[in-house]
């Protein structure tokens, strides 16, 4: 799901990697557990190919040649906007440690709005590299890069939406219990603002770039459901701004079991996620506010004859 400064953009201070390392170390709190190699495969951290939750990337990747399609409509647009966004993303695993994505975020006319508008929206792309697993497989770390480029005029009143955005990130996760039912994670991402894609450019200063910190926790018992709770903190202070924003996002994911109507005849691994976003504070020129959306993820292996790799899909 998607949802006045100096014109020359400043870059983040070099001290930010130290903050990043501190976050990763906090997640790596020692705990008693079975070694990862002694656990059944279905009980290892990341087994269910959990790569993102509530828009926060996680340090897990699929198996070699995995291919997935994610569709994440913004349902609140039907109530608040003259358009409806329908993000679609295609993901491919080059290896069991590296995956890439491309996608589109079209703006479709809202059928319930008399002044409905539309746009080709954005082209999106990304690459994620899992660094490796540590602490007997319970701590995972990955780095990645996402981008978002407007294809034409974006019908949003927010200035930032009309700019290219480039977003490197570092993400870490740690299994809190010996059976990997509880997972803590944190992601740090920096969103650089690039080229202005407005057709009629009024003489205004560019919006500042954003630093984004997303900590959260996931509970994944055996069964059909997964539960999550995350926080999303954004600030433009690293680029000379003075604004902060905070959002809380509870979520629930359903894995339809075999034999479920409408799914039993389809091949693949399905996930259906409901995110509820509650705004605690806002940041200038950034879309915030209470929101809700549904994400549908479909995954299958392109090369079914090829055996899975010996190591975990973490």
């Amino acid at each position: 799901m998607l949802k006045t400064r100096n014109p020359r953009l400043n870059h983040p201070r070099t001290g930010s990697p130290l903050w990043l390392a501190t976050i990763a170390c906090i997640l790596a709190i020692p705990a008693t557990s079975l070694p990862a190699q002694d656990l059944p495969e279905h009980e290892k951290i990341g087994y269910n190919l959990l790569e993102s939750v509530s828009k926060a990337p996680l340090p897990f990747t699929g198996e070699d040649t995995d291919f997935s399609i994610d569709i994440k409509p913004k349902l609140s647009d039907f109530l608040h906007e003259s358009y409806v966004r329908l993000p679609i993303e295609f993901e491919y695993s080059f290896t069991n440690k590296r995956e890439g994505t491309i996608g589109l975020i079209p703006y479709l006319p809202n059928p319930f709005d008399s002044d409905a508008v539309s746009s080709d929206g954005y082209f999106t792309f990304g690459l994620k590299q899992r660094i490796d697993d540590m602490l007997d497989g319970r701590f995972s770390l990955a780095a990645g890069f996402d981008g978002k480029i407007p294809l034409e005029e974006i019908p949003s009143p927010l200035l930032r939406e009309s700019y290219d955005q480039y977003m490197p990130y570092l993400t870490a996760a740690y299994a809190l219990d010996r059976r990997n039912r509880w997972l803590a994670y944190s992601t740090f991402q920096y969103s650089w603002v690039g080229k202005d894609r407005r057709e009629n450019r009024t003489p205004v200063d560019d919006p500042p770039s954003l630093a984004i910190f997303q900590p959260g926790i996931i509970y994944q018992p055996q069964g059909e459901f997964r539960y999550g709770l995350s926080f999303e903190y954004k600030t433009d202070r690293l680029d000379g701004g003075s604004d902060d924003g905070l959002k809380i996002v509870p979520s629930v994911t359903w894995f339809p079991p075999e034999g479920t109507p409408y799914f039993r005849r389809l091949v693949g691994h399905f996930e259906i996620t409901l995110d509820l976003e509650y705004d605690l504070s806002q940041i200038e020129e950034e879309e915030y506010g209470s929101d809700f959306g549904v994400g549908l993820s479909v995954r299958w292996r392109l090369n079914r004859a090829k055996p899975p790799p010996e190591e975990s899909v973490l």
Side-chain angles (χ1 to χ4, degrees):
M1 282 158 290
L2 308 151
K3 230 192 136 88
T4 63
R5 306 277 189 259
N6 293 328
R8 178 183 294 271
L9 294 177
N10 300 319
H11 294 287
R13 292 189 292 264
T14 56
S16 57
L18 180 58
W19 177 25
L20 214 57
T22 303
I23 295 170
C25 291
I26 292 175
L27 285 178
I29 301 174
T32 303
S33 69
L34 292 175
Q37 60 268 23
D38 293 339
L39 291 174
E41 186 69 19
H42 68 278
E43 292 187 351
K44 291 183 179 180
I45 180 176
Y47 174 77
N48 282 328
L49 303 173
L50 182 69
E51 276 122 29
S52 64
V53 60
S54 303
K55 299 184 294 183
L58 296 180
F60 309 126
T61 50
E63 295 180 1
D64 190 6
T65 74
D66 270 357
F67 177 76
S68 70
I69 302 174
D70 293 304
I71 304 173
K72 302 175 182 178
K74 297 275 290 185
L75 300 184
S76 62
D77 286 349
F78 286 103
L79 302 177
H80 305 302
E81 306 292 351
S82 57
Y83 50 77
V84 178
R85 285 162 290 181
L86 186 65
I88 302 174
E89 187 174 78
F90 302 90
E91 179 185 283
Y92 179 73
S93 296
F94 302 104
T95 70
N96 65 327
K97 288 188 177 183
R98 182 181 303 117
E99 61 189 22
T101 61
I102 60 171
L104 296 170
I105 308 178
Y107 283 59
L108 307 179
N110 187 342
F112 303 105
D113 193 294
S114 58
D115 298 321
V117 297
S118 64
S119 169
D120 290 341
Y122 298 97
F123 170 72
T124 64
F125 57 92
L127 182 67
K128 179 165 65 175
Q129 174 68 49
R130 179 163 58 86
I131 298 174
D132 216 337
D133 306 319
M134 293 160 273
L135 301 180
D136 291 328
R138 294 184 63 181
F139 179 74
S140 294
L141 187 67
F145 182 88
D146 291 329
K148 189 169 75 169
I149 298 175
L151 296 175
E152 65 172 357
E153 192 78 9
I154 302 298
S156 170
L158 300 173
L159 180 61
R160 193 187 307 277
E161 298 292 286
S162 297
Y163 284 73
D164 295 351
Q165 297 181 49
Y166 304 103
M167 298 162 281
Y169 63 84
L170 184 67
T171 175
Y174 182 75
L176 297 176
D177 68 313
R178 61 197 305 265
R179 290 298 179 182
N180 298 316
R181 299 289 179 253
W182 291 91
L183 179 73
Y185 66 90
S186 64
T187 296
F188 180 80
Q189 187 173 59
Y190 195 81
S191 179
W192 273 290
V193 175
K195 184 178 179 180
D196 185 354
R197 300 285 179 169
R198 290 176 296 162
E199 294 179 359
N200 299 313
R201 301 182 184 177
T202 55
V204 296
D205 293 331
D206 296 334
S209 299
L210 294 175
I212 306 168
F213 178 46
Q214 296 168 291
I217 192 167
I218 297 169
Y219 175 54
Q220 186 165 291
Q222 289 184 332
E224 302 176 17
F225 295 93
R226 179 181 69 222
Y227 309 92
L229 179 65
S230 66
F231 294 87
E232 184 180 274
Y233 169 72
K234 295 186 178 183
T235 180
D236 59 11
R237 296 178 185 273
L238 296 184
D239 196 22
S242 58
D243 292 332
D244 302 281
L246 181 62
K247 181 181 290 188
I248 183 172
V249 187
S251 65
V252 59
T253 299
W254 177 46
F255 303 93
E258 294 184 8
T260 302
Y262 306 109
F263 292 95
R264 59 189 175 191
R265 295 185 179 180
L266 301 175
V267 177
H269 167 85
F270 291 85
E271 299 180 15
I272 300 176
T273 299
L274 173 65
D275 285 332
L276 300 176
E277 303 178 3
Y278 183 74
D279 171 35
L280 299 176
S281 60
Q282 297 183 355
I283 194 169
E284 184 181 0
E285 288 297 344
E286 176 68 7
E287 182 181 26
Y288 258 64
S290 299
D291 194 6
F292 61 98
V294 171
L296 172 63
S297 176
V298 182
R299 178 181 296 275
W300 66 90
R301 297 196 66 193
L302 292 181
N303 189 354
R304 298 182 181 281
K306 184 176 181 179
E310 294 183 359
E311 67 173 296
S312 169
V313 299
L314 291 180

